[in-house]
PDB file of all heavy atoms in Angstrom:
ATOM      1  N   LEU A 123      -8.333  -0.425 -26.955  1.00 89.00           N
ATOM      2  CA  LEU A 123      -8.192  -1.277 -28.193  1.00 89.00           C
ATOM      3  C   LEU A 123      -6.603  -1.384 -28.535  1.00 89.00           C
ATOM      4  O   LEU A 123      -6.165  -2.455 -28.886  1.00 89.00           O
ATOM      5  CB  LEU A 123      -8.969  -0.797 -29.403  1.00 89.00           C
ATOM      6  CG  LEU A 123     -10.474  -0.818 -29.395  1.00 89.00           C
ATOM      7  CD1 LEU A 123     -11.064  -0.192 -30.560  1.00 89.00           C
ATOM      8  CD2 LEU A 123     -10.820  -2.351 -29.364  1.00 89.00           C
ATOM      9  N   LYS A 124      -5.979  -0.146 -28.483  1.00 91.00           N
ATOM     10  CA  LYS A 124      -4.533  -0.260 -28.638  1.00 91.00           C
ATOM     11  C   LYS A 124      -3.801  -1.108 -27.761  1.00 91.00           C
ATOM     12  O   LYS A 124      -2.878  -1.940 -28.060  1.00 91.00           O
ATOM     13  CB  LYS A 124      -4.024   1.210 -28.631  1.00 91.00           C
ATOM     14  CG  LYS A 124      -2.561   1.333 -29.012  1.00 91.00           C
ATOM     15  CD  LYS A 124      -2.125   2.706 -29.161  1.00 91.00           C
ATOM     16  CE  LYS A 124      -0.733   2.858 -29.601  1.00 91.00           C
ATOM     17  NZ  LYS A 124       0.284   3.049 -28.503  1.00 91.00           N
ATOM     18  N   ALA A 125      -4.174  -1.069 -26.373  1.00 93.00           N
ATOM     19  CA  ALA A 125      -3.497  -1.844 -25.379  1.00 93.00           C
ATOM     20  C   ALA A 125      -3.743  -3.314 -25.625  1.00 93.00           C
ATOM     21  O   ALA A 125      -2.734  -4.161 -25.626  1.00 93.00           O
ATOM     22  CB  ALA A 125      -4.133  -1.545 -23.929  1.00 93.00           C
ATOM     23  N   LEU A 126      -4.942  -3.736 -26.111  1.00 91.00           N
ATOM     24  CA  LEU A 126      -5.146  -5.161 -26.338  1.00 91.00           C
ATOM     25  C   LEU A 126      -4.356  -5.584 -27.556  1.00 91.00           C
ATOM     26  O   LEU A 126      -3.684  -6.711 -27.551  1.00 91.00           O
ATOM     27  CB  LEU A 126      -6.675  -5.429 -26.599  1.00 91.00           C
ATOM     28  CG  LEU A 126      -7.547  -5.286 -25.428  1.00 91.00           C
ATOM     29  CD1 LEU A 126      -9.039  -5.496 -25.747  1.00 91.00           C
ATOM     30  CD2 LEU A 126      -7.215  -6.097 -24.321  1.00 91.00           C
ATOM     31  N   PHE A 127      -4.312  -4.784 -28.593  1.00 89.00           N
ATOM     32  CA  PHE A 127      -3.515  -5.008 -29.749  1.00 89.00           C
ATOM     33  C   PHE A 127      -1.991  -5.253 -29.396  1.00 89.00           C
ATOM     34  O   PHE A 127      -1.391  -6.167 -29.799  1.00 89.00           O
ATOM     35  CB  PHE A 127      -3.669  -3.977 -30.879  1.00 89.00           C
ATOM     36  CG  PHE A 127      -2.681  -4.128 -31.958  1.00 89.00           C
ATOM     37  CD1 PHE A 127      -2.778  -5.156 -32.870  1.00 89.00           C
ATOM     38  CD2 PHE A 127      -1.622  -3.319 -32.178  1.00 89.00           C
ATOM     39  CE1 PHE A 127      -1.866  -5.267 -33.914  1.00 89.00           C
ATOM     40  CE2 PHE A 127      -0.654  -3.516 -33.070  1.00 89.00           C
ATOM     41  CZ  PHE A 127      -0.791  -4.437 -34.016  1.00 89.00           C
ATOM     42  N   GLU A 128      -1.422  -4.225 -28.557  1.00 91.00           N
ATOM     43  CA  GLU A 128      -0.088  -4.218 -28.242  1.00 91.00           C
ATOM     44  C   GLU A 128       0.291  -5.455 -27.405  1.00 91.00           C
ATOM     45  O   GLU A 128       1.330  -6.038 -27.545  1.00 91.00           O
ATOM     46  CB  GLU A 128       0.278  -3.017 -27.572  1.00 91.00           C
ATOM     47  CG  GLU A 128       0.296  -1.722 -28.444  1.00 91.00           C
ATOM     48  CD  GLU A 128       1.272  -1.704 -29.542  1.00 91.00           C
ATOM     49  OE1 GLU A 128       2.379  -2.441 -29.356  1.00 91.00           O
ATOM     50  OE2 GLU A 128       1.170  -1.020 -30.491  1.00 91.00           O
ATOM     51  N   LEU A 129      -0.629  -5.826 -26.427  1.00 89.00           N
ATOM     52  CA  LEU A 129      -0.451  -6.962 -25.668  1.00 89.00           C
ATOM     53  C   LEU A 129      -0.324  -8.265 -26.500  1.00 89.00           C
ATOM     54  O   LEU A 129       0.606  -9.158 -26.346  1.00 89.00           O
ATOM     55  CB  LEU A 129      -1.521  -7.152 -24.585  1.00 89.00           C
ATOM     56  CG  LEU A 129      -1.407  -6.186 -23.276  1.00 89.00           C
ATOM     57  CD1 LEU A 129      -2.600  -6.321 -22.531  1.00 89.00           C
ATOM     58  CD2 LEU A 129      -0.125  -6.396 -22.605  1.00 89.00           C
ATOM     59  N   GLY A 130      -1.262  -8.284 -27.448  1.00 85.00           N
ATOM     60  CA  GLY A 130      -1.283  -9.470 -28.276  1.00 85.00           C
ATOM     61  C   GLY A 130      -0.159  -9.627 -29.254  1.00 85.00           C
ATOM     62  O   GLY A 130       0.384 -10.670 -29.478  1.00 85.00           O
ATOM     63  N   ARG A 131       0.175  -8.498 -29.707  1.00 87.00           N
ATOM     64  CA  ARG A 131       1.315  -8.434 -30.658  1.00 87.00           C
ATOM     65  C   ARG A 131       2.691  -8.758 -29.860  1.00 87.00           C
ATOM     66  O   ARG A 131       3.578  -9.442 -30.378  1.00 87.00           O
ATOM     67  CB  ARG A 131       1.457  -7.019 -31.329  1.00 87.00           C
ATOM     68  CG  ARG A 131       2.530  -6.922 -32.289  1.00 87.00           C
ATOM     69  CD  ARG A 131       2.458  -5.527 -32.888  1.00 87.00           C
ATOM     70  NE  ARG A 131       2.905  -4.575 -31.918  1.00 87.00           N
ATOM     71  CZ  ARG A 131       4.013  -3.788 -31.907  1.00 87.00           C
ATOM     72  NH1 ARG A 131       4.740  -3.883 -33.019  1.00 87.00           N
ATOM     73  NH2 ARG A 131       4.212  -2.944 -31.042  1.00 87.00           N
ATOM     74  N   GLY A 132       2.711  -8.197 -28.681  1.00 85.00           N
ATOM     75  CA  GLY A 132       3.946  -8.399 -27.870  1.00 85.00           C
ATOM     76  C   GLY A 132       4.078  -9.795 -27.382  1.00 85.00           C
ATOM     77  O   GLY A 132       5.262 -10.365 -27.180  1.00 85.00           O
ATOM     78  N   ASP A 133       3.042 -10.462 -27.099  1.00 80.00           N
ATOM     79  CA  ASP A 133       3.121 -11.820 -26.524  1.00 80.00           C
ATOM     80  C   ASP A 133       1.880 -12.685 -27.224  1.00 80.00           C
ATOM     81  O   ASP A 133       0.690 -12.531 -26.651  1.00 80.00           O
ATOM     82  CB  ASP A 133       2.883 -11.811 -25.123  1.00 80.00           C
ATOM     83  CG  ASP A 133       3.145 -13.236 -24.366  1.00 80.00           C
ATOM     84  OD1 ASP A 133       3.163 -14.300 -25.157  1.00 80.00           O
ATOM     85  OD2 ASP A 133       3.505 -13.221 -23.132  1.00 80.00           O
ATOM     86  N   LEU A 134       2.282 -13.409 -28.266  1.00 75.00           N
ATOM     87  CA  LEU A 134       1.243 -14.045 -28.937  1.00 75.00           C
ATOM     88  C   LEU A 134       0.637 -15.196 -28.128  1.00 75.00           C
ATOM     89  O   LEU A 134      -0.482 -15.549 -28.495  1.00 75.00           O
ATOM     90  CB  LEU A 134       1.877 -14.686 -30.276  1.00 75.00           C
ATOM     91  CG  LEU A 134       2.191 -13.568 -31.369  1.00 75.00           C
ATOM     92  CD1 LEU A 134       2.979 -14.215 -32.561  1.00 75.00           C
ATOM     93  CD2 LEU A 134       1.096 -12.683 -31.685  1.00 75.00           C
ATOM     94  N   ARG A 135       1.206 -15.575 -27.035  1.00 76.00           N
ATOM     95  CA  ARG A 135       0.623 -16.527 -26.199  1.00 76.00           C
ATOM     96  C   ARG A 135      -0.680 -15.922 -25.606  1.00 76.00           C
ATOM     97  O   ARG A 135      -1.729 -16.596 -25.518  1.00 76.00           O
ATOM     98  CB  ARG A 135       1.558 -16.990 -25.016  1.00 76.00           C
ATOM     99  CG  ARG A 135       2.718 -17.850 -25.485  1.00 76.00           C
ATOM    100  CD  ARG A 135       3.676 -18.054 -24.403  1.00 76.00           C
ATOM    101  NE  ARG A 135       4.041 -16.709 -23.839  1.00 76.00           N
ATOM    102  CZ  ARG A 135       4.449 -16.551 -22.582  1.00 76.00           C
ATOM    103  NH1 ARG A 135       4.615 -17.605 -21.851  1.00 76.00           N
ATOM    104  NH2 ARG A 135       4.823 -15.376 -22.140  1.00 76.00           N
ATOM    105  N   LEU A 136      -0.643 -14.702 -25.206  1.00 77.00           N
ATOM    106  CA  LEU A 136      -1.857 -13.955 -24.565  1.00 77.00           C
ATOM    107  C   LEU A 136      -2.984 -13.980 -25.675  1.00 77.00           C
ATOM    108  O   LEU A 136      -4.130 -14.198 -25.339  1.00 77.00           O
ATOM    109  CB  LEU A 136      -1.418 -12.513 -24.156  1.00 77.00           C
ATOM    110  CG  LEU A 136      -0.475 -12.521 -22.929  1.00 77.00           C
ATOM    111  CD1 LEU A 136      -0.035 -11.052 -22.796  1.00 77.00           C
ATOM    112  CD2 LEU A 136      -1.163 -13.130 -21.624  1.00 77.00           C
ATOM    113  N   MET A 137      -2.610 -13.490 -26.964  1.00 76.00           N
ATOM    114  CA  MET A 137      -3.545 -13.401 -27.973  1.00 76.00           C
ATOM    115  C   MET A 137      -4.118 -14.812 -28.294  1.00 76.00           C
ATOM    116  O   MET A 137      -5.299 -14.924 -28.472  1.00 76.00           O
ATOM    117  CB  MET A 137      -3.008 -12.761 -29.170  1.00 76.00           C
ATOM    118  CG  MET A 137      -3.986 -12.279 -30.087  1.00 76.00           C
ATOM    119  SD  MET A 137      -4.591 -10.778 -29.483  1.00 76.00           S
ATOM    120  CE  MET A 137      -6.329 -10.980 -29.684  1.00 76.00           C
ATOM    121  N   GLY A 138      -3.258 -15.776 -28.341  1.00 75.00           N
ATOM    122  CA  GLY A 138      -3.626 -17.121 -28.590  1.00 75.00           C
ATOM    123  C   GLY A 138      -4.634 -17.681 -27.536  1.00 75.00           C
ATOM    124  O   GLY A 138      -5.611 -18.285 -27.932  1.00 75.00           O
ATOM    125  N   GLN A 139      -4.302 -17.319 -26.297  1.00 75.00           N
ATOM    126  CA  GLN A 139      -5.180 -17.810 -25.265  1.00 75.00           C
ATOM    127  C   GLN A 139      -6.649 -17.104 -25.423  1.00 75.00           C
ATOM    128  O   GLN A 139      -7.657 -17.736 -25.321  1.00 75.00           O
ATOM    129  CB  GLN A 139      -4.645 -17.401 -23.991  1.00 75.00           C
ATOM    130  CG  GLN A 139      -5.499 -17.737 -22.726  1.00 75.00           C
ATOM    131  CD  GLN A 139      -4.933 -17.184 -21.362  1.00 75.00           C
ATOM    132  OE1 GLN A 139      -4.327 -16.270 -21.383  1.00 75.00           O
ATOM    133  NE2 GLN A 139      -5.304 -17.961 -20.308  1.00 75.00           N
ATOM    134  N   ALA A 140      -6.647 -15.732 -25.762  1.00 73.00           N
ATOM    135  CA  ALA A 140      -7.856 -15.133 -25.953  1.00 73.00           C
ATOM    136  C   ALA A 140      -8.570 -15.644 -27.214  1.00 73.00           C
ATOM    137  O   ALA A 140      -9.817 -15.891 -27.234  1.00 73.00           O
ATOM    138  CB  ALA A 140      -7.770 -13.614 -26.153  1.00 73.00           C
ATOM    139  N   CYS A 141      -7.779 -15.995 -28.273  1.00 72.00           N
ATOM    140  CA  CYS A 141      -8.445 -16.392 -29.481  1.00 72.00           C
ATOM    141  C   CYS A 141      -8.954 -17.913 -29.589  1.00 72.00           C
ATOM    142  O   CYS A 141      -9.733 -18.232 -30.433  1.00 72.00           O
ATOM    143  CB  CYS A 141      -7.566 -16.046 -30.698  1.00 72.00           C
ATOM    144  SG  CYS A 141      -7.435 -14.336 -31.029  1.00 72.00           S
ATOM    145  N   ARG A 142      -8.384 -18.677 -28.602  1.00 75.00           N
ATOM    146  CA  ARG A 142      -8.891 -20.005 -28.479  1.00 75.00           C
ATOM    147  C   ARG A 142     -10.305 -20.149 -28.033  1.00 75.00           C
ATOM    148  O   ARG A 142     -10.968 -21.136 -28.249  1.00 75.00           O
ATOM    149  CB  ARG A 142      -8.016 -20.834 -27.650  1.00 75.00           C
ATOM    150  CG  ARG A 142      -6.731 -21.299 -28.376  1.00 75.00           C
ATOM    151  CD  ARG A 142      -5.911 -22.382 -27.566  1.00 75.00           C
ATOM    152  NE  ARG A 142      -5.287 -21.817 -26.293  1.00 75.00           N
ATOM    153  CZ  ARG A 142      -4.195 -21.111 -26.201  1.00 75.00           C
ATOM    154  NH1 ARG A 142      -3.497 -20.888 -27.328  1.00 75.00           N
ATOM    155  NH2 ARG A 142      -3.774 -20.744 -25.134  1.00 75.00           N
ATOM    156  N   ASP A 143     -10.692 -19.033 -27.446  1.00 72.00           N
ATOM    157  CA  ASP A 143     -12.127 -18.897 -26.874  1.00 72.00           C
ATOM    158  C   ASP A 143     -13.033 -18.316 -27.861  1.00 72.00           C
ATOM    159  O   ASP A 143     -12.868 -17.105 -28.025  1.00 72.00           O
ATOM    160  CB  ASP A 143     -12.068 -18.302 -25.497  1.00 72.00           C
ATOM    161  CG  ASP A 143     -13.523 -18.147 -24.913  1.00 72.00           C
ATOM    162  OD1 ASP A 143     -14.439 -18.420 -25.543  1.00 72.00           O
ATOM    163  OD2 ASP A 143     -13.631 -17.830 -23.652  1.00 72.00           O
ATOM    164  N   ALA A 144     -13.770 -19.046 -28.518  1.00 73.00           N
ATOM    165  CA  ALA A 144     -14.666 -18.452 -29.613  1.00 73.00           C
ATOM    166  C   ALA A 144     -15.464 -17.290 -29.032  1.00 73.00           C
ATOM    167  O   ALA A 144     -15.753 -16.298 -29.810  1.00 73.00           O
ATOM    168  CB  ALA A 144     -15.488 -19.497 -30.266  1.00 73.00           C
ATOM    169  N   GLY A 145     -15.888 -17.378 -27.900  1.00 76.00           N
ATOM    170  CA  GLY A 145     -16.760 -16.412 -27.215  1.00 76.00           C
ATOM    171  C   GLY A 145     -16.008 -15.116 -27.130  1.00 76.00           C
ATOM    172  O   GLY A 145     -16.485 -14.031 -27.318  1.00 76.00           O
ATOM    173  N   VAL A 146     -14.612 -15.146 -26.806  1.00 77.00           N
ATOM    174  CA  VAL A 146     -13.844 -13.914 -26.688  1.00 77.00           C
ATOM    175  C   VAL A 146     -13.708 -13.355 -28.150  1.00 77.00           C
ATOM    176  O   VAL A 146     -13.843 -12.102 -28.247  1.00 77.00           O
ATOM    177  CB  VAL A 146     -12.520 -14.213 -26.027  1.00 77.00           C
ATOM    178  CG1 VAL A 146     -11.594 -13.052 -26.062  1.00 77.00           C
ATOM    179  CG2 VAL A 146     -12.699 -14.535 -24.607  1.00 77.00           C
ATOM    180  N   VAL A 147     -13.415 -14.178 -29.096  1.00 76.00           N
ATOM    181  CA  VAL A 147     -13.210 -13.657 -30.414  1.00 76.00           C
ATOM    182  C   VAL A 147     -14.380 -12.953 -30.865  1.00 76.00           C
ATOM    183  O   VAL A 147     -14.473 -11.896 -31.455  1.00 76.00           O
ATOM    184  CB  VAL A 147     -12.787 -14.781 -31.376  1.00 76.00           C
ATOM    185  CG1 VAL A 147     -12.799 -14.259 -32.796  1.00 76.00           C
ATOM    186  CG2 VAL A 147     -11.386 -15.352 -30.908  1.00 76.00           C
ATOM    187  N   GLN A 148     -15.610 -13.571 -30.623  1.00 80.00           N
ATOM    188  CA  GLN A 148     -16.842 -12.987 -31.069  1.00 80.00           C
ATOM    189  C   GLN A 148     -17.164 -11.663 -30.332  1.00 80.00           C
ATOM    190  O   GLN A 148     -17.672 -10.696 -30.879  1.00 80.00           O
ATOM    191  CB  GLN A 148     -18.051 -13.984 -30.881  1.00 80.00           C
ATOM    192  CG  GLN A 148     -19.293 -13.492 -31.510  1.00 80.00           C
ATOM    193  CD  GLN A 148     -19.252 -13.156 -32.965  1.00 80.00           C
ATOM    194  OE1 GLN A 148     -18.815 -14.000 -33.761  1.00 80.00           O
ATOM    195  NE2 GLN A 148     -19.608 -12.003 -33.419  1.00 80.00           N
ATOM    196  N   ALA A 149     -16.829 -11.712 -28.961  1.00 79.00           N
ATOM    197  CA  ALA A 149     -17.049 -10.473 -28.202  1.00 79.00           C
ATOM    198  C   ALA A 149     -16.142  -9.284 -28.691  1.00 79.00           C
ATOM    199  O   ALA A 149     -16.591  -8.181 -28.749  1.00 79.00           O
ATOM    200  CB  ALA A 149     -16.802 -10.833 -26.793  1.00 79.00           C
ATOM    201  N   ILE A 150     -14.884  -9.655 -29.157  1.00 79.00           N
ATOM    202  CA  ILE A 150     -14.044  -8.695 -29.596  1.00 79.00           C
ATOM    203  C   ILE A 150     -14.543  -8.102 -30.902  1.00 79.00           C
ATOM    204  O   ILE A 150     -14.543  -6.917 -31.196  1.00 79.00           O
ATOM    205  CB  ILE A 150     -12.555  -9.172 -29.793  1.00 79.00           C
ATOM    206  CG1 ILE A 150     -11.876  -9.442 -28.384  1.00 79.00           C
ATOM    207  CG2 ILE A 150     -11.705  -8.254 -30.579  1.00 79.00           C
ATOM    208  CD1 ILE A 150     -10.554 -10.062 -28.434  1.00 79.00           C
ATOM    209  N   ALA A 151     -14.980  -9.115 -31.876  1.00 80.00           N
ATOM    210  CA  ALA A 151     -15.579  -8.585 -33.078  1.00 80.00           C
ATOM    211  C   ALA A 151     -16.777  -7.771 -32.952  1.00 80.00           C
ATOM    212  O   ALA A 151     -16.878  -6.672 -33.502  1.00 80.00           O
ATOM    213  CB  ALA A 151     -15.841  -9.815 -33.942  1.00 80.00           C
ATOM    214  N   ASP A 152     -17.582  -8.093 -32.030  1.00 83.00           N
ATOM    215  CA  ASP A 152     -18.825  -7.357 -31.808  1.00 83.00           C
ATOM    216  C   ASP A 152     -18.563  -5.955 -31.284  1.00 83.00           C
ATOM    217  O   ASP A 152     -19.176  -4.977 -31.645  1.00 83.00           O
ATOM    218  CB  ASP A 152     -19.837  -8.111 -30.834  1.00 83.00           C
ATOM    219  CG  ASP A 152     -20.435  -9.406 -31.441  1.00 83.00           C
ATOM    220  OD1 ASP A 152     -20.331  -9.557 -32.648  1.00 83.00           O
ATOM    221  OD2 ASP A 152     -20.872 -10.206 -30.721  1.00 83.00           O
ATOM    222  N   MET A 153     -17.583  -6.022 -30.237  1.00 78.00           N
ATOM    223  CA  MET A 153     -17.270  -4.770 -29.584  1.00 78.00           C
ATOM    224  C   MET A 153     -16.669  -3.829 -30.647  1.00 78.00           C
ATOM    225  O   MET A 153     -16.947  -2.567 -30.697  1.00 78.00           O
ATOM    226  CB  MET A 153     -16.440  -4.892 -28.463  1.00 78.00           C
ATOM    227  CG  MET A 153     -16.262  -3.735 -27.563  1.00 78.00           C
ATOM    228  SD  MET A 153     -14.509  -3.402 -27.027  1.00 78.00           S
ATOM    229  CE  MET A 153     -13.487  -4.210 -28.046  1.00 78.00           C
TER     230      MET A 153
END
Side-chain angles (χ1 to χ4, degrees):
L123 289 176
K124 184 172 183 265
L126 294 178
F127 169 74
E128 292 294 339
L129 286 174
R131 183 179 68 116
D133 188 343
L134 293 176
R135 294 173 304 158
L136 294 170
M137 197 78 227
Q139 180 183 27
C141 290
R142 278 191 295 278
D143 181 344
V146 171
V147 173
Q148 187 60 51
I150 289 172
D152 292 347
M153 190 225 19

